[in-house]
Amino acid sequence: IAYLHINGWTFFSMNELIEKKNNLPLKSVAITFDDGYEDNITNALPILKKYNAKATIYLVIDRHDREWSSKRKKKNDSGELKKEPKLTDNQVIELLDSGLIEIGSHTMTHDNLPTLDKKQKEFEIIESKNIIEKSFNIECKSFCYPFGLYNEEDSFIVKKAGYTNATTTQKGIDNLKDSNPLELKRITVSGKDNMLSFRLKIKRGLRGLKK
């Protein structure tokens, strides 16, 4: 975040990116966090405040004391995710009050959307939006597909629900003027990245020359 700040990048929420896509600075970036972990407020928010950096958090509504990793692969059920502290609603309000955070939807239960029937999908996608808007008195316009898994029906429901944008786990950098706003790429940044790989990622969307 310090590197981006020092080097003249402008931070946007995901919805702002879409709203301003025809008039964005060359160095524009949106930071996203999935699921709604407590470290978003304990670890991330102080750094975001320090550099006046905006971010979007995709919130799972039914996120406490749950393990959803097995929804992608049944063998992934270690229980580690269940133990990880998640944001409380009061903490979400504190994040919103900072003026730096947009809350988007990550469905009701972080289920594997392509495996569900249409009624279940609509519940996951539409009801999560309704609850976020009612609970926090905001508009919820941004969505993130759980595990990055989705199909054409899922995108249709997302559009019908009134979201302006949706992110995937497909790696890369989009030209927002030409891209489908409901199938946006992202770059994964982790503690395994050194500064060289980070700089390559934000320049090319890839970790290295061949990755």
Side-chain angles (χ1 to χ4, degrees):
I1 305 302
Y3 174 87
L4 294 172
H5 174 78
I6 291 168
N7 285 276
W9 288 76
T10 303
F11 300 91
F12 293 94
S13 69
M14 286 303 304
N15 185 56
E16 286 177 336
L17 275 185
I18 300 303
E19 289 185 337
K20 301 177 181 181
K21 67 179 181 180
N22 293 317
N23 192 32
L24 288 170
L26 181 61
K27 292 183 175 181
S28 297
V29 62
I31 300 168
T32 62
F33 299 97
D34 291 3
D35 304 337
Y37 294 104
E38 189 179 50
D39 60 13
N40 293 174
I41 193 168
T42 57
N43 296 359
L45 184 61
I47 296 171
L48 296 174
K49 284 183 174 179
K50 182 177 180 179
Y51 296 103
N52 196 34
K54 295 182 178 182
T56 297
I57 296 175
Y58 297 112
L59 198 66
V60 177
I61 301 301
D62 185 8
R63 60 192 176 277
H64 299 286
D65 299 315
R66 292 190 65 257
E67 171 69 63
W68 54 70
S69 298
S70 59
K71 292 291 185 177
R72 183 174 187 178
K73 294 181 180 179
K74 290 186 177 181
K75 65 178 181 179
N76 295 344
D77 193 10
S78 66
E80 183 178 353
L81 179 65
K82 184 177 181 180
K83 298 174 184 176
E84 191 70 23
K86 313 297 194 306
L87 291 167
T88 66
D89 282 2
N90 285 337
Q91 288 174 322
V92 173
I93 292 171
E94 184 178 343
L95 287 164
L96 288 166
D97 287 345
S98 74
L100 298 173
I101 302 298
E102 174 195 18
I103 296 298
S105 168
H106 205 27
T107 71
M108 291 293 297
T109 68
H110 204 293
D111 212 328
N112 187 336
L113 292 176
T115 68
L116 307 179
D117 62 36
K118 185 177 180 181
K119 187 174 181 180
Q120 291 172 317
K121 291 180 180 188
E122 289 177 337
F123 172 74
E124 291 285 342
I125 296 168
I126 299 173
E127 186 62 16
S128 57
K129 184 178 192 294
N130 292 338
I131 290 176
I132 287 172
E133 293 182 337
K134 184 176 180 180
S135 298
F136 306 113
N137 194 29
I138 59 173
E139 283 190 281
C140 180
K141 296 184 176 181
S142 300
F143 182 81
C144 178
Y145 301 102
F147 312 111
L149 302 175
Y150 66 99
N151 56 32
E152 187 175 347
E153 183 178 51
D154 302 325
S155 296
F156 176 80
I157 296 171
V158 168
K159 182 177 182 179
K160 183 178 72 172
Y163 295 101
T164 64
N165 66 92
T167 50
T168 70
T169 55
Q170 184 178 354
K171 297 178 182 178
I173 299 172
D174 282 309
N175 179 340
L176 294 181
K177 294 181 181 180
D178 302 323
S179 302
N180 182 345
L182 300 181
E183 297 181 9
L184 296 174
K185 300 173 184 175
R186 289 191 292 177
I187 300 168
T188 302
V189 178
S190 76
K192 297 178 181 179
D193 293 320
N194 57 33
M195 282 305 299
L196 176 59
S197 65
F198 173 70
R199 289 164 64 184
L200 284 169
K201 280 185 174 184
I202 62 172
K203 184 176 182 179
R204 303 177 63 248
L206 305 172
R207 184 173 183 177
L209 296 178
K210 297 181 179 180
K211 295 183 179 180

